[in-house]
């Protein structure tokens, strides 16, 4: 009876600890989500309700702010620019990174470890430190305000992180697949894209999502090096936030809400790939 009683107490303590653990996780998550919730609710409030000194908790939602933001002539072009720059540059970066990761993982050229370090060190440099030489270079190449220049920059900046993720996954795929395919007469391109690529699809999706989030939210380079023809939504928020001599908070809240939705939906449906990508393939093991 004593053993049974002790077991019950231990079970109750375990349940209590587990409940406190999950309650803490929910509390932390809600704290981080509060700014997002504030923006979402503000986009559905009138200007008076948003600027009221007493926070308006209960209100009748209105979509006038969102309709007003969508009807602004510069909004849709800026949204299209964000989509084009994000998707095109990241797709190019993932393709280049996959081929490079395959070469480094399978052929292991001399100095590859140092090369990987140099590539990753590019992400350690803040954009503000390179914006002036980047601006001068873009002017010399006549790339300022062009899709080509911004696409190349975002592609270059997205390659290191993608390469590290994909190499970690490729190291976990057994080379017996390559050897068997070579014996059967396949070439390296057929092995790379027909046999190996389907096995690292989660890593490709993770690399794509991580880098799309970066390009989607990038402001400084687009604002300084880009122009009105390549302006994205963060740039629009910086240039269109003032109206009538004051900050147009309703426009900012509505625009931010619209701009967050695609990323939120993408992360919701592909969150398991993000978790896999954070492991860099280290828990995959050899196939």
């Amino acid at each position: 009876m004593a053993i049974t009683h002790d077991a019950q107490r231990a079970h109750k303590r375990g349940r209590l600890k587990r409940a406190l653990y999950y309650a803490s996780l929910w509390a932390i998550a809600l704290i981080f989500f509060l700014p997002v919730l504030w923006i979402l609710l503000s986009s559905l409030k009138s200007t008076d309700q948003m600027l009221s000194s007493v926070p308006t908790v209960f209100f009748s939602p209105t979509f006038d702010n969102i309709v007003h933001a969508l009807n602004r002539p510069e909004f849709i072009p800026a949204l299209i620019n964000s989509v084009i720059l994000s998707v095109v540059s990241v797709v190019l970066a993932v393709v280049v990174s996959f081929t490079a990761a395959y070469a480094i993982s399978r052929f292991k050229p001399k100095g590859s470890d140092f090369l990987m370090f140099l590539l990753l060190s590019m992400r350690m440099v803040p954009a503000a430190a390179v914006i002036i030489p980047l601006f001068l270079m873009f002017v010399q190449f006549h790339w300022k305000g062009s899709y080509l220049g911004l696409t190349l920059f975002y592609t270059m900046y997205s390659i290191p992180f993608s390469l590290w993720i994909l190499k970690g996954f490729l190291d976990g795929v057994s080379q017996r697949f390559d050897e068997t395919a070579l014996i059967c007469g396949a070439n390296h391109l057929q092995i790379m894209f027909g046999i190996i690529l389907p096995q690292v699809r989660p890593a490709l999706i993770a690399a794509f999502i991580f880098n799309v989030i970066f390009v989607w939210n990038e402001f400084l380079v687009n604002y300084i090096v880009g122009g009105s023809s390549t302006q994205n939504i963060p740039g629009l928020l910086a240039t269109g936030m003032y109206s009538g001599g004051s900050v147009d908070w309703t426009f900012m809240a509505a625009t931010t809400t619209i701009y967050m939705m695609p990323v939120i939906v993408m992360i919701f449906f592909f969150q398991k790939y993000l978790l896999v990508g954070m492991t860099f393939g280290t828990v995959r093991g050899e196939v």
Side-chain angles (χ1 to χ4, degrees):
M1 291 292 295
I3 296 176
T4 304
H5 184 65
D6 291 340
Q8 290 177 348
R9 287 170 55 186
H11 179 67
K12 289 180 179 179
R13 284 198 301 267
R15 291 180 61 183
L16 179 61
K17 289 181 180 179
R18 190 161 51 249
L20 291 174
Y21 173 73
Y22 285 112
S24 301
L25 292 180
W26 272 103
I28 294 172
L30 290 174
I31 290 173
F32 279 96
F33 183 71
L34 281 178
V36 178
L37 180 63
W38 182 87
I39 293 173
L40 294 174
L41 294 178
S42 297
S43 66
L44 302 176
K45 294 180 180 180
S46 64
T47 304
D48 294 337
Q49 292 172 336
M50 185 184 298
L51 300 180
S52 175
S53 58
V54 179
T56 305
V57 179
F58 302 100
F59 61 94
S60 299
T62 176
F63 292 95
D64 292 342
N65 299 328
I66 295 177
V67 173
H68 173 69
L70 291 172
N71 288 334
R72 289 186 62 154
E74 65 271 27
F75 180 85
I76 297 301
L79 182 62
I80 294 174
N81 288 337
S82 294
V83 173
I84 292 175
L85 291 172
S86 300
V87 174
V88 174
S89 60
V90 174
V91 167
L92 290 175
V94 170
V95 172
V96 172
S97 300
F98 174 71
T99 55
Y102 180 84
I104 295 174
S105 176
R106 289 304 190 254
F107 303 112
K108 296 179 174 58
K110 291 184 179 181
S112 57
D113 291 338
F114 183 64
L115 176 62
M116 294 288 290
F117 167 75
L118 288 180
L119 287 172
L120 191 61
S121 66
M122 294 171 54
R123 297 300 295 264
M124 303 176 189
V125 181
V130 299
I131 191 62
I132 293 178
L134 186 69
F135 176 84
L136 296 175
M137 183 184 74
F138 272 51
V139 170
Q140 290 295 322
F141 283 98
H142 304 287
W143 286 349
K144 186 180 181 303
S146 69
Y147 282 107
L148 176 62
L150 287 174
T151 300
L152 289 177
F153 172 79
Y154 290 139
T155 301
M156 176 271 298
Y157 207 72
S158 301
I159 285 175
F161 190 67
S162 302
L163 182 58
W164 270 83
I165 291 179
L166 293 171
K167 182 182 179 299
F169 273 78
L170 286 167
D171 287 343
V173 178
S174 175
Q175 294 196 25
R176 290 194 293 268
F177 289 104
D178 305 59
E179 296 166 357
T180 303
L182 286 172
I183 293 174
C184 295
N187 56 42
H188 283 292
L189 286 177
Q190 291 172 330
I191 296 171
M192 193 188 325
F193 292 102
I195 299 175
I196 304 301
L197 187 145
Q199 300 187 57
V200 296
R201 187 179 291 112
L204 294 172
I205 297 175
F208 178 83
I209 294 175
F210 276 121
N211 287 297
V212 161
I213 293 173
F214 159 72
V215 180
W216 188 257
N217 294 320
E218 201 284 321
F219 163 73
L220 184 62
V221 174
N222 187 281
Y223 184 73
I224 301 297
V225 176
S228 58
S229 59
T230 57
Q231 184 183 57
N232 59 5
I233 293 295
L236 174 63
L237 286 171
T239 58
M241 63 185 296
Y242 289 100
S243 176
S246 61
V247 177
D248 190 350
W249 293 109
T250 54
F251 167 73
M252 293 193 65
T255 303
T256 305
T257 298
I258 299 171
Y259 194 60
M260 287 191 304
M261 283 299 113
V263 177
I264 291 175
V265 171
M266 182 174 60
I267 292 175
F268 177 78
F269 284 104
F270 296 102
Q271 55 185 308
K272 64 178 181 179
Y273 295 107
L274 296 179
L275 180 61
V276 171
M278 290 177 186
T279 65
F280 286 77
T282 55
V283 299
R284 178 185 176 94
E286 188 173 89
V287 178

